[in-house]
Amino acid sequence: MCIITTYRCPMRCTMCNIWKHPTEKEREIKPGELEILPRVRFVNITGGEPFIRQDLAEIVAILFRKSPRVVISTSGWYEERIIDLARQFPKIGIRISIEGLSQKNDELRGRPGGFDKGLRTLLRLKEMGVKDIGFGCTVSNHNSDDMLSLYRLSKSLGLEFATAAFHNSYYFHKNDNQITNREEVIANFERLIAMQLKEKCPKSWFRAFFNHGLINYIEGNRRMLPCEAGLANFFVDPYGEVYPCNGMEERFWMESMGNIRRASSFREIWESEQAQKVREKVRHCPKNCWMVGTAAPVMKKYIRYPLQWTARNKIRSLLQRPLCLERKRPDVQEQEQENSAL
């Protein structure tokens, strides 16, 4: 599950307008209201900027009772707050959003010194022995080359490296995010995939598959795997609304499954007619988003497909042969039905 703690944010990103639509502090969900949430395998805390909340430690304490792994997505702007929280929760995961090297990052994120703060914070966390730390890079127009430099930097420092492509949605308050230099961006993602497949860590090979899905998204194709948002994952916004994902757009559709403030249990929301209605809309959603929050769960559920892709291309990489990067979506439902019949 993903908890959007706030829409307040100190950054001024060009690819995201959350900062223009901040939440009122008094109306944001309180830590105690999260007690209703179920136990899950993984929790992501995001915003806005989560560290803008003074009660973030209380939120983290509750969520660690809900899941063995809690990761916070942050701009890295509040250095000391991040370090203090990591001292309290040594198992916390931290992903700092960095969109390029120093000049490019500060240009895209709208605040001078953002790159320095983010990198300095990661280095301090590493010195402290915090293990689940790394970069998160959102590729937009003209920063895909810097993405490769950040990947090399992350490897040299022993840090995690996550990628995304910018999207349009109600969450980002954007409807004009569009990659216009597709050939350059796709070529750089293909270079990243080749580098990831050369690694010894299987996790990197599956990240290569995820990045293959990002290329597919940039090209405007159907998702590599079906979307099961609202079934395999969910989001809770700062007002307590439970959404299937953060990629919805009102011009297509946008609907909540329920609100944790108005429910006696989470099951009441999860098994409601409204939740079933929302899942039906997900099944017919026209957007074909490919974001980690909705891609990772189905990659695990339908593991045979990314496994086949990674095995084939890992062998090609070892043999120094060209990678097989055709974008062909498997008919998952049809093949799963055939397997069930057998």
Side-chain angles (χ1 to χ4, degrees), residues 8-33:
R8 292 177 286 151
C9 186
M11 310 310 286
R12 300 293 181 262
C13 298
T14 60
M15 64 285 189
C16 172
N17 284 335
I18 281 179
W19 57 276
K20 292 183 179 179
H21 304 269
T23 41
E24 297 174 27
K25 179 180 177 181
E26 295 74 20
R27 295 182 59 202
E28 293 171 349
I29 45 176
K30 305 298 186 288
E33 292 177 308

Side-chain angles (χ1 to χ4, degrees), residues 46-66:
T46 187
E49 171 51 66
F51 282 94
I52 212 166
R53 289 197 56 155
Q54 300 290 338
D55 56 357
L56 185 60
E58 297 174 55
I59 291 173
V60 170
I62 290 170
L63 295 178
F64 262 125
R65 296 200 293 271
K66 304 292 181 181

Side-chain angles (χ1 to χ4, degrees), residues 92-108:
I92 195 73
I94 300 290
R95 293 294 179 276
I96 294 185
S97 298
I98 297 181
E99 317 307 347
L101 298 180
S102 181
Q103 183 176 348
K104 180 60 67 176
N105 176 80
D106 293 359
E107 171 191 326
L108 291 175

Side-chain angles (χ1 to χ4, degrees), residues 15 166-178 217 243-256 278 281-282 284-291:
M15 64 285 189
F166 68 177
H167 286 66
N168 295 312
S169 79
Y170 84 94
Y171 176 69
F172 304 113
H173 295 276
K174 293 288 285 186
N175 58 18
D176 60 351
N177 280 338
Q178 182 178 3
Y217 166 76
Y243 289 113
C245 71
N246 65 341
M248 294 176 292
E249 292 183 70
E250 291 181 345
R251 59 178 174 153
F252 296 117
W253 72 281
M254 179 179 168
E255 207 159 330
S256 168
V278 168
K281 291 196 172 187
V282 169
H284 298 92
C285 183
K287 292 204 59 184
N288 291 306
C289 302
W290 189 255
M291 292 186 271

Side-chain angles (χ1 to χ4, degrees), residues 1-4 37-44 170 223 226-236 241-248 253 255 257 266 269-270 275 278-279 282 289 291-302:
M1 62 186 175
C2 182
I3 312 300
I4 308 169
L37 296 174
R39 294 184 182 277
V40 294
R41 294 180 181 178
F42 169 72
V43 177
N44 175 234
Y170 84 94
R223 281 175 57 109
C227 182
E228 295 189 355
L231 187 63
N233 64 278
F234 63 91
F235 284 70
V236 180
E241 297 291 341
V242 179
Y243 289 113
C245 71
N246 65 341
M248 294 176 292
W253 72 281
E255 207 159 330
M257 301 168 76
F266 191 77
I269 296 172
W270 198 245
V278 168
R279 291 183 187 115
V282 169
C289 302
M291 292 186 271
V292 69
T294 54
V298 291
M299 284 175 60
K300 292 176 182 176
K301 180 175 180 178
Y302 303 110

Side-chain angles (χ1 to χ4, degrees), residues 17-239:
N17 284 335
I18 281 179
W19 57 276
K20 292 183 179 179
H21 304 269
T23 41
E24 297 174 27
K25 179 180 177 181
E26 295 74 20
R27 295 182 59 202
E28 293 171 349
I29 45 176
K30 305 298 186 288
E33 292 177 308
L34 301 176
E35 293 285 6
I36 196 175
L37 296 174
R39 294 184 182 277
V40 294
R41 294 180 181 178
F42 169 72
V43 177
N44 175 234
I45 300 175
T46 187
E49 171 51 66
F51 282 94
I52 212 166
R53 289 197 56 155
Q54 300 290 338
D55 56 357
L56 185 60
E58 297 174 55
I59 291 173
V60 170
I62 290 170
L63 295 178
F64 262 125
R65 296 200 293 271
K66 304 292 181 181
S67 174
R69 185 169 179 236
V70 177
V71 176
I72 304 178
S73 301
T74 173
S75 65
W77 191 256
Y78 296 105
E79 295 178 64
E80 296 306 324
R81 295 184 189 181
I82 297 172
I83 299 301
D84 288 344
L85 189 79
R87 289 195 181 104
Q88 293 181 63
F89 303 95
K91 293 184 178 180
I92 195 73
I94 300 290
R95 293 294 179 276
I96 294 185
S97 298
I98 297 181
E99 317 307 347
L101 298 180
S102 181
Q103 183 176 348
K104 180 60 67 176
N105 176 80
D106 293 359
E107 171 191 326
L108 291 175
R109 296 192 69 81
R111 294 295 296 270
F115 177 86
D116 294 349
K117 281 176 173 284
L119 181 57
R120 186 164 52 235
T121 301
L122 285 170
L123 292 175
R124 291 176 67 186
L125 290 169
K126 185 174 175 62
E127 285 181 358
M128 291 168 57
V130 182
K131 300 188 182 302
D132 194 356
I133 56 174
F135 297 110
C137 178
T138 298
V139 174
S140 52
N141 292 311
H142 313 303
N143 74 330
S144 61
D145 191 50
D146 274 24
M147 169 188 70
L148 298 177
S149 298
L150 286 176
Y151 167 77
R152 296 184 183 101
L153 179 60
S154 71
K155 291 298 103 183
S156 67
L157 295 173
L159 304 175
E160 299 287 335
F161 184 74
T163 50
F166 68 177
H167 286 66
N168 295 312
S169 79
Y170 84 94
Y171 176 69
F172 304 113
H173 295 276
K174 293 288 285 186
N175 58 18
D176 60 351
N177 280 338
Q178 182 178 3
I179 290 178
T180 54
N181 56 333
R182 287 187 181 184
E183 290 185 7
E184 178 186 350
V185 172
I186 289 171
N188 282 326
F189 266 117
E190 288 178 345
R191 292 186 186 99
L192 177 61
I193 288 169
M195 289 189 286
Q196 288 175 321
L197 286 168
K198 285 184 177 5
E199 292 187 41
K200 296 179 181 179
C201 177
K203 187 175 182 180
S204 296
W205 311 341
F206 286 96
R207 282 178 175 158
F209 176 84
F210 174 79
N211 287 321
H212 181 57
L214 282 178
I215 295 175
N216 181 70
Y217 166 76
I218 292 166
E219 290 179 335
N221 301 323
R222 290 178 67 201
R223 281 175 57 109
M224 296 294 292
L225 292 170
C227 182
E228 295 189 355
L231 187 63
N233 64 278
F234 63 91
F235 284 70
V236 180
D237 83 354
Y239 304 111

